[in-house]
Amino acid sequence: GGHKKGCALSLTNLATPVLNRIKAEAYREAAEIVGPEDSYQDERFKAKADCCIKLRAKADELEQSK
């Protein structure tokens, strides 16, 4: 049974960067939907911009973690 366990482990390790890339892409998509970061007209826009920045940061973080 030892072989199966090792096999599953290596698959998981291979999948992680791929999944992280997919997640990062999803965060970026969400950031696009939330709106542009440069619209600081009022507090509501500022909150949306902050949300965009956080989403993009999360995406970068995911892509860096290997």
Side-chain angles (χ1 to χ4, degrees), residues 6-55:
C7 200
L9 201 83
S10 63
L11 271 178
T12 307
N13 293 346
L14 277 175
T16 303
V18 177
L19 290 174
N20 282 350
R21 245 204 321 274
I22 294 165
K23 281 185 205 162
E25 203 52 49
Y27 279 118
R28 290 206 176 92
E29 284 291 321
E32 289 302 310
I33 294 161
V34 170
E37 284 137 274
D38 53 8
S39 41
Y40 277 95
Q41 289 101 321
D42 64 31
E43 284 307 305
R44 199 173 62 236
F45 279 116
K46 191 178 183 306
K48 284 175 84 174
D50 287 345
C51 187
C52 277
I53 293 161
K54 285 188 183 120
L55 285 165

